[in-house]
Amino acid sequence: MANVRVGRIVGAHGLKGEVKVEALTDFVERLDAGRRLRLKGDWVTVEGARVQGNRLLLRLSGVEDIDQAKALQWEYLEAPAEERPELEEDEYVTADLIGLEVVTTDGERLGKVDDVLLMPAHDVIVAAGIMIPAVKQFVKSVDLKEKRITVELIEGMRQ
């Protein structure tokens, strides 16, 4: 089964190899100490995890100094897809939304979901160049079985 991106290393911290990580998941427990993650195709273990400001600082197995940490900047951390978190009724894993067909409440096909941007206030679905806030006002339904998201657009959303 594939892996899911859960973080991106954005820099080094300190001299002993800690890395600053931007979480790419709402389930930050996937980056807790003791977790195994994929990094550049290899498995690493999170040996330590703490929060500083809006970033996570992780100590990863095999990363012993600042030079090794700097070399990992912009690399992704991935968790096994089978370790999916328990979701509430209206919660979805980002990877499940990519590729779903997006249609309006009027039945107009807009295209497929190209990306889901993780923003501070709410996620944003990107389909056919249209950015749709992932809130109930605009996203009327998500049907994973039918692989379809139904949205209601307002004036100005289309480019």
Side-chain angles (χ1 to χ4, degrees), residues 6 11 15 23 39 49 63 66 72 79 81 86 97 100 115 118 121 126 130:
V6 293
L15 301 174
L39 173 63
V63 183
I66 190 170
L72 296 173
E86 290 293 320
L97 302 179
L100 295 185
D115 200 1
L118 305 176
V126 181
I130 301 170

Side-chain angles (χ1 to χ4, degrees), residues 46-100:
V46 179
E47 295 179 344
R50 60 192 176 103
V51 176
Q52 184 180 61
N54 63 345
R55 294 273 190 247
L56 292 170
L57 298 180
L58 301 184
R59 196 172 65 253
L60 303 173
S61 61
V63 183
E64 306 298 330
D65 62 42
I66 190 170
D67 292 328
Q68 289 176 317
K70 282 182 178 178
L72 296 173
Q73 186 168 5
W74 308 125
E75 295 292 339
Y76 289 97
L77 294 166
E78 300 175 331
E82 63 269 13
E83 292 180 6
R84 294 172 64 98
E86 290 293 320
L87 301 176
E88 298 294 325
E89 186 177 325
D90 285 343
E91 289 183 320
Y92 303 94
V93 175
T94 300
D96 290 345
L97 302 179
I98 304 295
L100 295 185

Side-chain angles (χ1 to χ4, degrees), residues 85-145:
E86 290 293 320
L87 301 176
E88 298 294 325
E89 186 177 325
D90 285 343
E91 289 183 320
Y92 303 94
V93 175
T94 300
D96 290 345
L97 302 179
I98 304 295
L100 295 185
E101 186 73 30
V102 179
V103 298
T104 67
T105 52
D106 296 332
E108 178 188 355
R109 285 184 141 73
L110 299 177
K112 294 187 185 260
V113 175
D114 298 314
D115 200 1
V116 178
L117 306 176
L118 305 176
M119 306 300 261
H122 49 74
D123 296 345
V124 175
I125 296 169
V126 181
I130 301 170
M131 297 178 76
I132 307 161
V135 296
K136 290 182 189 278
Q137 178 183 354
F138 304 114
V139 178
K140 298 305 181 182
S141 69
V142 175
D143 187 335
L144 294 178
K145 287 182 181 155

